């Protein structure tokens, strides 16, 4: 979308980071690393927590998985925070086992959630707890588990609020009961004050009583942990049934032939929308439509959630920050292909 300039309230953001540093047990003996763009959300963790705790922060000018592995070993990094794509590239690198990464005591995914199977793989390979943290540049890191939480609490969910509050609302802005899906809304000292010289966008994003509309869909489990199920704009409505792409992506991503996957809506004249899977196979691997459907059926996924088309790409298009897949481009791509095929 059009660039927005976030008015960050420094005192509130530092308060947010102080709460996080306490929750993670960060000390001056820790070493953190920046493997994604400095301006991105995941790097608020090493830079702001680093300032607060006197932590050494290691930077890599341009991401390269092999160079990152060398740096992790050389600098004895203890807390690794990054986005799922980078974490997956690290553990899938053929030389991963050659490096001594025993200094790492915590792996955190920010920017997008890691799936439960992927999180377990990260824990096995790094031999330490892995977990999700939830936030955005607009709101800071607002929700996080404790490293001592159960694997389910750390990987199936994103934890509990840090120094702020969350609520889930329906399309009429009414709070939904626990366990039901709604839009995540957040308030607290770590939140920004709005968008610089953009009162209209600020008005659209903030409620009149100070809650930020995140655009994320989530639910609260029985313990009050937040589970993110996807973005509102990514929701696929197939014949009146809701399909959340992240659910299918999390099931497919651990497949041994898949390097990356994105599920997007494709227009359909009868059902309104159907799901299309874009898959980047691992080098040397071939992934077919039958591979996908049989694998998903083995996982007992509801039949209406199974993608009805598969597109193979060598690499999925990424947003400029290289943190998330550019799903807007993929939705346009499949729409163009359907038109060219005379199906729309």
């Amino acid at each position: 979308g059009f660039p927005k300039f976030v008015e960050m309230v420094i005192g509130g953001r530092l308060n947010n980071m102080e709460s996080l540093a306490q929750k993670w047990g960060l000390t001056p003996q820790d070493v953190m690393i920046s493997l994604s763009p400095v301006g991105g959300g995941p790097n608020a963790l090493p830079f702001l927590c680093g300032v607060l705790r006197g932590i050494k922060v290691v930077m890599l000018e341009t991401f390269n998985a092999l160079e990152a592995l060398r740096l992790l070993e050389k600098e004895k990094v203890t807390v690794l925070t990054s986005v799922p794509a980078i974490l997956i590239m690290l553990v899938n690198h053929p030389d991963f086992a050659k490096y001594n990464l025993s200094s790492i005591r915590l792996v955190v995914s920010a920017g997008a959630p890691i799936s439960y199977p992927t999180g377990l793989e990260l824990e096995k390979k790094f031999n330490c707890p892995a977990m999700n943290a939830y936030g955005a540049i607009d709101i800071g890191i607002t929700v996080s588990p404790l490293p001592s939480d159960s694997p389910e609490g750390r990987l199936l969910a994103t934890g509990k609020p840090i120094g702020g509050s969350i609520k889930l609302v329906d399309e009429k802005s009414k709070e939904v009961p626990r366990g039901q899906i709604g839009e995540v809304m957040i308030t607290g000292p770590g939140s920004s004050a709005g968008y610089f010289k953009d009162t209209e966008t600020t008005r659209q994003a903030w409620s009149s009583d100070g809650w930020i509309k995140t655009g994320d869909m989530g639910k609260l489990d029985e313990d009050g942990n937040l589970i993110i199920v996807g973005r509102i704009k990514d929701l696929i409505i197939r014949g009146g049934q809701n399909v959340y792409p992240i659910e299918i992506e999390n099931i497919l991503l651990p497949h041994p032939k898949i390097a990356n996957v994105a599920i997007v809506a494709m227009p359909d004249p009868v059902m309104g929308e159907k799901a299309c899977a874009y898959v980047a196979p691992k080098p040397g691997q071939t992934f077919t439509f039958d591979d996908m459907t049989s694998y998903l059926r083995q996982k007992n996924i509801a039949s209406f959630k199974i993608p009805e088309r598969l597109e193979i790409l060598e690499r999925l298009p990424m947003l400029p920050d290289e943190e998330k897949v550019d799903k807007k481009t993929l939705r346009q791509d499949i729409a163009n292909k359907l038109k060219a095929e005379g199906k729309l």
Side-chain angles (χ1 to χ4, degrees), residues 41-202:
N43 280 315
L45 299 168
F47 291 121
L48 293 181
C49 287
V51 169
L52 286 167
R53 284 290 193 269
I55 294 170
K56 178 180 180 180
V57 178
V58 180
M59 298 181 69
L60 185 62
E61 184 173 353
T62 303
F63 178 75
N64 173 279
L66 184 59
E67 183 59 30
L69 290 170
R70 290 172 180 163
L71 206 55
L72 288 167
E73 178 185 67
K74 177 185 175 183
E75 300 291 346
K76 293 182 172 55
V77 171
T78 62
V79 178
L80 170 58
T81 62
S82 197
V83 295
I86 284 178
L87 295 174
I88 291 167
M89 281 189 277
L90 291 176
V91 297
N92 285 342
H93 194 282
D95 290 341
F96 178 85
K98 296 180 181 179
Y99 292 88
N100 180 1
L101 306 179
S102 60
S103 61
I104 298 175
R105 67 172 183 86
L106 180 63
V107 175
V108 182
S109 173
I114 47 173
S115 69
Y116 186 71
T118 300
L120 292 179
E121 181 183 6
L122 292 174
E123 292 195 335
K124 180 180 178 182
K125 291 194 172 182
F126 284 110
N127 193 31
C128 70
M131 63 188 194
N132 288 300
Y134 173 73
I137 293 177
D138 315 55
I139 57 178
I141 297 295
T142 307
V143 180
S144 170
L146 288 167
S148 59
D149 284 349
S150 68
E152 291 76 17
R154 289 184 279 103
L155 300 172
L156 287 176
T158 59
K160 295 182 175 66
I162 306 167
S165 301
I166 61 173
K167 66 178 180 178
L168 305 177
V169 301
D170 60 20
E171 62 276 4
K172 296 180 180 179
S173 298
K174 293 185 177 180
E175 199 161 352
V176 302
R178 179 168 293 189
Q180 291 190 16
I181 294 173
E183 181 180 5
V184 181
M185 297 188 70
I186 290 176
T187 189
S191 302
S192 61
Y195 302 116
F196 181 65
K197 293 186 177 180
D198 193 343
T199 54
E200 179 58 26
T201 304
T202 300

Side-chain angles (χ1 to χ4, degrees), residues 248 252 261-266 274-280 287 289 292 296 306-313 316 330 334:
I248 310 167
L252 281 174
V261 59
I263 307 296
V264 299
M266 60 179 180
K274 291 182 177 179
C276 175
Y278 277 84
V279 169
F287 188 74
F289 184 79
M292 176 181 69
L296 289 173
I306 296 177
E308 293 166 80
R309 179 159 174 152
L310 172 66
E311 294 289 326
I312 299 295
L313 297 176
L316 300 188
L330 295 180
I334 190 59

